[in-house]
């Protein structure tokens, strides 16, 4: 609960002085002997009918003065409130001045995602993204910034696996997500050397497929299945913030290991490199299952992750292009002759659906 607004000391002192002055001015005063003599003479004249009808002495005047004193105090109080509001108009609930601004709650970060969502994010404003506000009109505006969005759960022992082993696996998984989806060099389309170094070279099928995709991408060897990469000749990121939302969980694995499940959505604001300022966003959701087997029982490399599953779904990127890069689409460059997508319309911000449910190339309901 927020604290009551505080009145500045100088305003309060002025209020106190004015109040005391008005009280003194409105307080009854003992009449002087001269005043008593005049009052008695006027009373006698009124009794003889020598004064105009409707003329009243002291009590009526005293009553009127008292009412003026009350309104004077209230006027000072209103002035104090007006001064406070002038300094901080946000103390008034709502938007009484028609500023049209959004409330603080609308822009405040969402709490950490701890369970699987059951529905897509609610609709937000129709604001258009700009260079100054690249997440305008997007649910991701309330998501975490960059690495802060990849929260590692508190490690604890599971089955035969110690808390130390759990923590090691969680940290390696987090590092893999960061190097694959946030590292500036990776995003610029460079070799994701740091990410590849986290994978077990003895798990040859996975590593060979990724390396082949990076060297000579095609439909069966697509590096985008693990890495977020943009062609620097086409687009660049707007600013240095990528919005993230997701969660990470762990269990005891089948191979004397800790198994980690990661499910995260990354939102990338981009602009073309041709000098135009139109901003759009590409949204990439990744599901990753990894484990850290016991090298004493299995032929694995100590400290390297074995990948059980890596899957992705990208929104607002050209379909059926396998050159190893994401290709964001801009509304101003959409041609009426472009082929119509064959798949359904989906919400790329919806984290409640299974990522593998829809594979056909479709359209997105929002970016």
């Amino acid at each position: 609960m927020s604290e009551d607004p505080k009145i500045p000391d100088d305003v309060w002192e002025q209020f106190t002085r004015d109040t005391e002055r008005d009280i003194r001015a409105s307080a009854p005063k003992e009449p002087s002997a001269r005043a008593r003599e005049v009052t008695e003479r006027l009373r006698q004249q009124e009794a003889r009918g020598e004064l105009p009808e409707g003329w009243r002495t002291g009590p009526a005047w005293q009553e009127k003065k008292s009412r003026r004193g009350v309104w004077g105090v209230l006027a000072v109080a209103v002035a104090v409130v007006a001064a406070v509001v002038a300094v901080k108009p946000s103390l008034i609930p709502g938007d009484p001045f028609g500023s049209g601004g959004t409330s603080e709650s609308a822009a405040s970060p969402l709490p950490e995602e701890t369970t699987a969502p059951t529905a897509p994010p609610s609709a937000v404003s129709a604001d258009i993204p700009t260079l100054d506000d690249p997440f305008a009109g997007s649910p991701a505006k309330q998501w975490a910034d960059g690495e802060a969005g990849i929260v590692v759960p508190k490690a604890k022992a599971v089955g035969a696996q110690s808390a130390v082993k759990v923590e090691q696996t969680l940290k390696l998984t987090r590092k893999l997500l960061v190097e694959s989806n946030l590292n500036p060099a990776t995003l610029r389309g460079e070799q994701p050397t740091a990410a590849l170094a986290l994978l077990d070279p003895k798990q040859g099928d996975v590593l060979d497929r990724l390396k082949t995709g990076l060297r000579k991408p095609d439909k069966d060897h697509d590096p985008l299945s693990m890495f977020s990469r943009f062609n620097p000749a086409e687009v660049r990121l707007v600013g240095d913030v990528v919005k993230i939302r997701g969660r990470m969980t762990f269990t005891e694995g089948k191979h004397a290991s800790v198994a980690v499940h990661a499910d995260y959505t990354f939102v990338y604001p981009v602009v073309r490199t041709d000098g135009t300022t139109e901003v759009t966003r590409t949204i990439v959701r990744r599901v990753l299952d990894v484990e850290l087997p016991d090298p004493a029982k299995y032929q694995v490399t100590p400290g390297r992750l074995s990948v059980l599953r890596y899957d992705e779904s990208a929104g607002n990127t050209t379909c059926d292009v396998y050159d190893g890069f994401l290709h964001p689409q801009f509304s101003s460059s959409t041609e009426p002759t472009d082929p119509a997508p064959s798949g359904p319309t989906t919400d790329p911000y919806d984290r409640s659906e299974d990522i593998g449910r829809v594979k056909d190339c479709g359209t997105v309901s929002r970016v």
Side-chain angles (χ1 to χ4, degrees):
M1 181 178 297
S2 62
E3 297 181 354
D4 294 335
K6 295 182 179 179
I7 299 175
D9 291 341
D10 56 342
V11 176
W12 180 254
E13 290 174 2
Q14 182 64 41
F15 168 75
T16 304
R17 289 194 298 269
D18 292 345
T19 302
E20 291 176 352
R21 182 194 63 211
D22 283 355
I23 291 175
R24 286 195 298 270
S26 61
K29 297 180 176 60
E30 181 69 22
S32 64
R34 174 62 178 167
R36 287 195 298 271
E37 179 182 345
V38 172
T39 300
E40 177 60 23
R41 185 174 70 251
L42 292 173
R43 185 187 64 78
Q44 292 175 4
Q45 290 177 344
E46 182 181 16
R48 293 194 299 268
E50 298 175 358
L51 290 178
E53 185 177 358
W55 191 92
R56 293 293 183 267
T57 56
W61 177 87
Q62 295 280 351
E63 183 181 0
K64 184 176 180 182
K65 180 64 176 179
S66 177
R67 287 197 299 268
R68 287 184 59 192
V70 170
W71 285 109
V73 172
L74 291 177
V76 174
V78 170
V80 171
V81 173
V84 173
V85 170
V87 174
K88 191 174 184 181
S90 61
L91 294 174
I92 299 180
D95 189 17
F97 303 113
S99 61
T102 57
S103 63
E104 288 184 354
S105 60
S108 60
L110 291 175
E112 176 186 341
E113 182 180 286
T114 56
T115 59
T118 58
S122 301
V124 295
S125 69
D127 294 341
I128 298 175
T130 64
L131 294 175
D132 293 330
D133 190 1
F135 296 101
S138 166
K141 192 175 180 70
Q142 291 182 267
W143 293 7
D145 294 353
E147 295 186 30
I150 306 178
V151 179
V152 174
K154 184 178 181 180
K156 62 179 181 180
V158 287
Q161 307 304 314
S162 67
V164 173
K165 182 73 171 292
V166 171
E167 183 177 15
Q168 180 188 16
T169 312
L170 290 171
K171 288 183 175 180
L172 286 172
T173 305
R174 184 179 189 274
K175 185 171 178 59
L176 178 59
L177 289 167
V178 170
E179 297 297 341
S180 300
N181 302 280
L182 297 177
N183 185 309
T186 301
L187 297 178
R188 290 193 301 268
E190 299 177 16
Q191 190 81 353
T193 305
L196 294 171
L198 297 169
L199 305 180
D200 192 343
K202 293 183 178 180
Q203 193 183 18
D205 55 338
V206 173
L207 204 56
D208 289 345
R209 188 179 302 114
L210 291 174
K211 287 183 177 180
T212 299
L214 290 166
R215 183 176 64 255
K216 190 178 180 180
D218 57 33
K219 186 174 182 179
D220 296 324
H221 303 84
D222 189 356
L224 297 179
S225 58
M226 177 70 78
F227 310 110
S228 294
R229 310 171 76 238
F230 296 91
N231 186 341
E234 291 182 2
V235 298
R236 62 175 176 83
L237 289 177
V238 178
D240 55 3
V241 173
V242 174
K243 289 289 188 176
I244 303 177
R245 186 152 183 82
R247 65 193 181 281
M248 192 184 303
T249 58
F250 61 90
T251 60
E252 184 179 18
K254 296 180 179 179
H255 304 97
S257 66
V258 177
V260 175
H261 175 78
D263 184 343
Y264 287 90
T265 299
F266 302 82
V267 183
Y268 303 96
V270 295
V271 66
R272 285 173 291 206
T273 55
D274 61 1
T276 58
T277 59
E278 181 185 2
V279 177
T280 191
R281 293 178 287 255
T282 290
I283 303 96
V284 180
R285 182 180 172 193
R286 298 196 180 278
V287 172
L288 180 67
D289 289 316
V290 297
E291 65 177 4
L292 196 64
D294 186 349
K297 298 181 180 180
Y298 296 91
Q299 293 184 355
V300 295
T301 304
R304 301 290 186 93
L305 291 171
S306 294
V307 179
L308 306 180
R309 175 194 178 189
Y310 56 110
D311 205 351
E312 59 88 29
S313 176
N316 191 32
T317 183
T318 303
C319 297
D320 301 326
V321 175
Y322 302 101
D323 61 357
F325 297 114
L326 294 162
H327 294 280
Q329 295 181 302
F330 295 81
S331 58
S332 63
S333 62
T334 302
E335 299 293 338
T337 56
D338 289 346
S342 59
T345 298
T346 58
D347 183 354
Y349 293 97
D350 186 359
R351 296 183 37 76
S352 65
E353 296 287 345
D354 181 5
I355 193 173
R357 185 177 65 85
V358 177
K359 287 298 184 182
D360 293 335
C361 182
T363 58
V364 292
S365 60
R366 53 181 172 176
V367 295

